[in-house]
Amino acid sequence: MVDLGLLALRLAFVGGLYAVLTAVYGAWARRPAYARSARHAAYAVHALVAVAAAVLWHALLTANFSLEYVASYASSTLSLPYRIAALWGGQAGSLLFWVLILTTMSTVVHLQNRDRNAALMPYVTATLMTIAVFFLALLVFVTSPFERLPVPAAEGADLNPLLQNYWMLIHPPSLYLGYVGCSVPFAFAIAALVTGRLGDVWIRTTRRWTLFAWFFLTLGNMLGARWAYEELGWGGYWAWDPVENAAFMPWLSCTAFLHSVMIQEKKNMLKMWNMVLVLLTFCLTIFGTFLTRSGVVSSVHSFTQSGLGPFFVAFLLGVIVVVSGLVIWRRPLLRGENEIDSFLSREASFLFNNLLLVGIAFATFWGTIFPVISEAVRGIKITVGPPFFNKVNAPLGLALLFMTGVGPVIAWRRASARKLRRSFAAPLGVGFVTGAVIFAAGWRNYYAVVCFSLAAFVLATILMEFYRGTRARQALMGEPAPRALANLVGKNRRRYGGYVIHVGVVMVFIGVAASSAFRLEEQETIRKGDVVQVGSFTLTYKDIHFTDDPHYSSMLAEIAVAKDGAPVGTLFPEKRFYKKQQQPTTEVALRSTLVEDLYLVLGSYDEATGLMTMIVFVNPLVNWLWIGGLVMVLGTVIVMSPTAAERRALAAALAVEDRGLEAALR
């Protein structure tokens, strides 16, 4: 069985190479038969990688400790869900999981395009298979998941206890889907550059793939933050950790692309900028993988470290050289046909939005790699902490929040003073009143006050858009308000789905601002019967309980909770000790409401004295962060839903491209 997995990986590597060479030759020689052969080879690579993944999964589920990977990341007492998750819990397994997702997406892309995009597809095949070959080469020659131990282990070392959390069952796959999903628009961008077909077809063809990648990057970042909130036990969810930053940067550049590509579709502008954003997003996904796998920077999220860093650096440099050469070569074709008429226009506001997103991405990138640069230049690794990121990114984030309200509402080309007053007078008034009320209430954290004021401004602009659109449909179609609203969204999914996403963004800003600015924290060492007062909560230490099973032992503190003097329940913060890994973990206890989270951490317990140290956090409005993430997901689903207008636009663009292809072949 293990030999089958190894053989499948080797054949997949050979098949990938064949697909790359055949696809390029078929395109160069204009031999469609070779392009078809490359496509079939890509299908075969997917099937072989699926076989290899199935073999490794089988080994994990059956606890085959003759394999070094299984012995390192599983154990006989590990539960079934975490044995499945162990596939992406270690180095080689996560690389195999990556290439499994990539080849699956490659298969879907080929099936979608088997009868269209004939000029682009050979290069799309070559690009996707080149990426697959790189990962397969690592698996075949550097870090095989099927390496046998000289003597089978009697027991496995177990999965890292920090990964034995239910969020880790879905957070890494979500993030991988986002990372790998960026490969598809990248492959079409490369194909467009090589063929010179830089019109709308490749953008419209990959629009849904880009949204798909953005959807999972958003979901992956949110789930990762939730995992950190529940598992790391420091009361927060985002620490500007290098691996967190690695997932955040491609999300920023992908977000910038999704906004600026609308300018290209509507006004045939920013072609060069959009191309650079697509290429940059892919490069950032590889850079993120390099950070996670190389161990070049320390991170609480780096669960595997190895010598793979140089391979990723070499691959990334190769990609940068190739794409830079292609962009320079095709620069004349990437010039837009129009220019921005006025700074008071939607085009300009989207451009400002892009600059802010890229600015945040650059600040994050600089802060992430600064320890590496400082060590290379001065021999001392200087770590850049959260104060740097907060100081730089907080003002940029607030400016971005303001543009979230301006961009979708301001007029195309040039906004007149009358239109500006009509669109923004009322929302600005709502924002100022909100700020004044909060200030009068005694809140003196100015970043938070500005954030809440801008959030009110943005929500007001969005509500006005829904109101005006609904009223217009009622006037034109005579529909009742609920049906008019439903039809408004259904017939303009891209626009109103985008508004829903913006509502989610506002909620995220509110959650982040409130939980950062007004968080309460208290640490107490107490005995049974002692009472701790934190904010409006009264906590009484009732007892401590111990449990033990073959996998881990644990102790749970029993804490009675009262709010404003009234009992509201009992919480059990827990400390576990995983026996195989000899590692403790903290399992926080939460009482969540829309107003605040009560977050309890069992710090330590001394059996001799009976003293227990407990850390208490009260995080205001933090649940709005998670709800905002769900709203963003809902909005993305609305935006991704296909419409007849989009299908017609793509068909028209394809017809133009096909006519151009036929003319070129004559």
Side-chain angles (χ1 to χ4, degrees), residues 37-88:
S37 180
R39 186 173 69 227
H40 295 153
Y43 293 150
V45 170
H46 173 217
L48 290 164
V49 171
V51 168
V55 169
L56 186 56
W57 253 319
H58 179 267
L60 288 164
L61 294 176
T62 57
N64 182 354
F65 297 133
S66 67
L67 284 184
E68 190 272 340
Y69 186 85
V70 178
S72 299
Y73 299 104
S75 71
S76 59
T77 57
L78 188 66
S79 63
L80 176 65
Y82 296 123
R83 289 195 194 193
I84 295 172
L87 184 74
W88 51 83

Side-chain angles (χ1 to χ4, degrees), residues 390-396 398 444-454 513 517-518:
N390 292 336
K391 193 169 185 177
V392 175
N393 286 340
L396 294 175
L398 291 177
R444 290 295 182 270
N445 185 301
Y446 296 109
Y447 268 121
V449 172
V450 172
C451 182
F452 294 150
S453 302
L454 289 174
F518 305 112

Side-chain angles (χ1 to χ4, degrees), residues 350-531:
F350 275 33
L351 182 59
F352 293 143
N353 155 293
N354 266 229
L355 293 175
L356 289 167
L357 286 164
V358 174
I360 295 172
F362 176 76
T364 306
F365 176 79
W366 179 250
T368 303
I369 65 164
F370 188 77
V372 181
I373 294 175
S374 67
E375 187 174 29
V377 175
R378 301 183 58 186
I380 303 171
K381 184 174 281 189
I382 302 174
T383 302
V384 176
F388 165 80
F389 293 103
N390 292 336
K391 193 169 185 177
V392 175
N393 286 340
L396 294 175
L398 291 177
L400 187 63
L401 181 59
F402 176 69
M403 296 309 300
T404 303
V406 173
V409 179
I410 196 170
W412 291 100
R413 294 195 63 185
R414 188 184 299 275
S416 65
R418 185 180 66 82
K419 286 185 177 178
L420 286 173
R421 281 196 302 274
R422 180 174 179 270
S423 299
F424 296 112
L428 283 172
V430 170
F432 279 121
V433 169
T434 302
V437 169
I438 293 173
F439 192 81
W443 295 14
R444 290 295 182 270
N445 185 301
Y446 296 109
Y447 268 121
V449 172
V450 172
C451 182
F452 294 150
S453 302
L454 289 174
F457 162 72
V458 177
L459 288 177
T461 61
I462 294 171
L463 287 174
M464 284 182 63
E465 283 295 290
F466 275 98
Y467 174 75
R468 285 172 177 159
T470 303
R471 293 288 295 172
R473 279 200 69 88
Q474 284 184 280
L476 284 173
M477 311 299 290
E479 296 171 337
R483 184 184 298 173
L485 177 62
N487 288 335
L488 180 73
V489 175
K491 293 183 182 300
N492 303 274
R493 293 172 195 171
R494 188 172 185 178
R495 179 177 179 181
Y496 289 94
Y499 288 149
V500 173
I501 294 173
H502 285 180
V503 170
V505 171
V506 169
M507 295 167 79
V508 168
F509 267 91
I510 290 173
V512 170
S515 59
S516 303
F518 305 112
R519 184 172 76 171
L520 299 177
E521 179 178 349
E522 194 78 37
Q523 178 171 324
E524 296 284 350
T525 300
I526 52 180
R527 298 177 188 277
K528 286 181 187 177
D530 285 352
V531 175

Side-chain angles (χ1 to χ4, degrees), residues 622-635:
V622 71
N623 258 328
W624 292 98
L625 168 62
W626 318 119
I627 297 171
L630 292 176
V631 173
M632 291 171 70
V633 167
L634 171 66

Side-chain angles (χ1 to χ4, degrees), residues 74-267:
S75 71
S76 59
T77 57
L78 188 66
S79 63
L80 176 65
Y82 296 123
R83 289 195 194 193
I84 295 172
L87 184 74
W88 51 83
Q91 175 101 294
S94 65
L95 294 177
L96 178 58
F97 188 55
W98 180 295
V99 78
L100 173 64
I101 294 174
L102 176 64
T103 53
T104 303
M105 289 184 181
S106 169
T107 295
V108 175
V109 167
H110 283 103
L111 290 173
Q112 286 177 331
N113 293 274
R114 59 188 180 278
D115 297 322
R116 64 188 188 194
N117 289 322
L120 298 177
M121 282 312 295
Y123 296 105
V124 171
T125 305
T127 305
L128 291 174
M129 286 298 104
T130 298
I131 302 168
V133 164
F134 167 69
F135 281 91
L136 286 167
L138 294 177
L139 291 168
V140 171
F141 300 112
V142 183
T143 176
S144 172
F146 300 110
E147 185 176 339
R148 292 180 186 275
L149 291 170
V151 178
E155 178 57 279
D158 205 11
L159 188 64
N160 187 318
L162 289 176
L163 300 179
Q164 296 182 44
N165 176 287
Y166 47 87
W167 292 114
M168 295 309 288
L169 298 175
I170 50 176
H171 158 57
S174 298
L175 209 50
Y176 283 21
L177 284 166
Y179 270 11
V180 182
C182 294
S183 302
V184 177
F186 171 77
F188 274 89
I190 293 294
L193 284 168
V194 172
T195 59
R197 296 174 179 276
L198 294 160
D200 282 356
V201 170
W202 78 271
I203 281 181
R204 293 186 186 279
T205 301
T206 58
R207 176 177 170 270
R208 197 150 280 104
W209 277 104
T210 310
L211 284 167
F212 175 88
W214 187 86
F215 173 91
F216 280 104
L217 282 174
T218 304
L219 196 62
N221 275 290
M222 296 299 295
L223 293 175
R226 183 70 194 191
W227 167 81
Y229 187 59
E230 292 189 11
E231 189 62 31
L232 297 184
W234 61 281
Y237 41 81
W238 192 269
W240 296 107
D241 179 271
V243 174
E244 292 174 352
N245 297 345
F248 187 44
M249 288 184 284
W251 182 88
L252 289 166
S253 57
C254 193
T255 305
F257 172 73
L258 286 171
H259 284 84
S260 63
V261 75
M262 286 187 273
I263 306 299
Q264 181 172 341
E265 292 176 10
K266 296 274 187 184
K267 301 294 179 183

